[in-house]
Each structure stands twice: as C-alpha cells, then as structure tokens.
Amino acid sequence: MSEEEIELDFARTDRIGFGEAVFCINKTPKQINLILDQTRSKGAAILVTRLSQDKYEELSEINRRDLDYDPGSETGFFMFQRKRPLPEQVAIISAGTSDAKVAKEASRTLDFNYISSKLFLDLGVAGLWRLTSQIESIKQYPVIIAVAGMDAALISVLGGLVSSVIIAVPTSTGYGMAREGKTALAASLASCAPGVVVCNIDNGYGAACGAIRVIQSATLRFPPDKE
C-alpha cells in the first residue's frame, strides 16, 4: 500500500457532521502509519478504531506520540485538540462488564465529535435492581445507547421504561446459542418495545454516529433558546 492509494475524507465533518475514522482491523501497522502520516501532513485530526495494543506498539514513535490511545476501547484520537467540556447528552448503558469495550468505543467516538456521554456499566437484567436503581438518572438523557449481548434483554426492558431515543448495540458476548451476537441481534430486532433502533453486532462506533445524527438534527430544527 502506497500513499497514493489512501483517500481520506477530511471534508466529512462539513458534509455530514462527524469526523473521518479509520477502522484498523485487517490493516497492517505500516498501512496505519501511512494513514496517520498523511493526516498529519494535512493538519487534520482523525479517529482510529479497533486498533489493538499490539498494532499500536508497532506504530512509529512520532505517531504514538500524537495518538491519544485507549486500550480499553481500542480507539485513538490522532492530532486531536479537545475543546471545552460540553453537557452530557447521551447515556451509554452496558448489560455487563464483558460489553464494556463496545460501550467505551461509543463513548470515545462521541468524545471525538465533541459530544459528552455518561457511562452506566453492568446494569444487565440478571440483577434488575441495578438498572432500576439508576433509571431516574438515565431518563434525563435524550439519547440512550444500550449495549447488550446474550439475549439482549436489557434493550427491551429499557424500551418499556424510558421515552428517550434508544439505539441498541447487540454484542457478541455469550455462550453457544448466543451465536457470536446473532441471537442478541435477532432479539433486538424482534423487541416488543416499539421504536428501538438497532445497529450491527459490536458496532459501538456506528451507534455513536447515529446518536450524533439525532442530536445534530434536533439542534438544527429546534435550536436552544437564546437568553
């Protein structure tokens, strides 16, 4: 892969409202280095997703220096300048700690696009009291990303309790008949709770982008009152 083969989308933010991202599964450290070098040469910033710790450690020293890497979510902010903190607008809820990586990928994607979120981890229905004890706080958020594997029961339960936009992310967590997330995906799509929208398996990034579209659309059509 040569630099001429890379076509990065630096106009994405102006066009659709959120920045360029690079999905690093199946990319070699050499290819990732080329992408980051080109990003630096343009004076741009980029979100890196699904970057394993091993690949991160094989990147060039200068690229590691300029990459805010989080191994828990396997994401990185490259050449990113953080703005002032913003009010939290999205609640991200995971059923179990095994789903935390996907939840944190969503949180980091929102953060890269200047939207703050609140993580509620390990609120699965096996201990329903954990969810009900937090439900009043969760209801305050206009958008909820719900991350759940196995039977994805959390998603249907939330759909019957809150009026917020719910973006479901089924995960590949689970034994045998969980079928690497296919059961959670089917359960999410077949949910009795109306109005829940569903992303692909383990796609925390996609769920965050959906949340960004919702928030931006609402802001454009119903701008906050000016004092």
Side-chain angles (χ1 to χ4, degrees):
M1 182 179 184
S2 64
E3 191 169 343
E4 289 74 22
E5 297 176 65
I6 302 169
E7 286 289 345
L8 295 173
D9 187 8
F10 294 121
R12 183 178 295 182
T13 301
D14 293 335
R15 193 175 67 252
I16 63 174
F18 46 88
E20 170 72 300
V22 175
F23 183 66
C24 291
I25 290 179
N26 296 330
K27 289 184 175 67
T28 66
K30 180 179 179 181
Q31 291 170 329
I32 299 167
N33 271 322
L34 284 170
I35 290 167
L36 299 182
D37 290 344
Q38 186 178 116
T39 301
R40 182 186 292 101
S41 72
K42 298 291 186 181
I46 203 167
L47 173 66
V48 174
T49 68
R50 300 302 169 96
L51 177 64
S52 68
Q53 181 84 45
D54 290 343
K55 285 185 181 179
Y56 167 73
E57 291 174 356
E58 290 186 53
L59 297 180
S60 66
E61 183 178 350
I62 188 172
N63 284 337
R64 291 198 310 274
R65 183 198 68 194
D66 292 334
L67 187 66
D68 174 3
Y69 180 66
D70 173 47
S73 62
E74 293 191 341
T75 61
F77 300 166
F78 186 72
M79 302 292 290
F80 177 74
Q81 297 296 318
R82 192 176 304 279
K83 296 182 180 179
R84 61 181 176 83
L86 298 173
E88 293 172 347
Q89 300 179 74
V90 181
I92 303 173
I93 305 169
S94 78
T97 52
S98 296
D99 305 310
K101 176 180 173 181
V102 175
K104 290 176 181 178
E105 179 183 72
S107 177
R108 290 269 290 178
T109 300
L110 290 169
D111 196 15
F112 181 79
N113 289 282
Y114 305 111
I115 292 177
S116 293
S117 61
K118 169 71 172 179
L119 281 167
F120 294 85
L121 301 178
D122 201 18
L123 299 189
V125 300
L128 194 57
W129 62 269
R130 295 175 298 186
L131 175 62
T132 56
S133 69
Q134 298 275 9
I135 198 66
E136 293 305 317
S137 296
I138 291 167
K139 285 180 179 178
Q140 306 308 309
Y141 293 86
V143 182
I144 295 171
I145 296 173
V147 184
M150 296 190 178
D151 58 356
L154 171 69
I155 290 160
S156 289
V157 172
L158 276 171
L161 292 176
V162 302
S163 62
S164 311
V165 173
I166 298 177
I167 302 172
V169 188
T171 74
S172 53
T173 301
Y175 300 105
M177 284 305 294
R179 297 185 301 162
E180 298 182 334
K182 292 178 183 177
T183 296
L185 175 61
S188 300
L189 290 169
S191 174
C192 185
V196 173
V197 297
V198 184
C199 286
N200 207 344
I201 298 166
D202 291 337
N203 193 3
Y205 167 77
C209 290
I212 294 166
R213 288 181 184 273
V214 169
I215 291 166
Q216 290 181 153
S217 179
T219 303
L220 286 171
R221 287 162 176 75
F222 306 101
D225 293 334
K226 294 182 179 178
E227 295 183 357

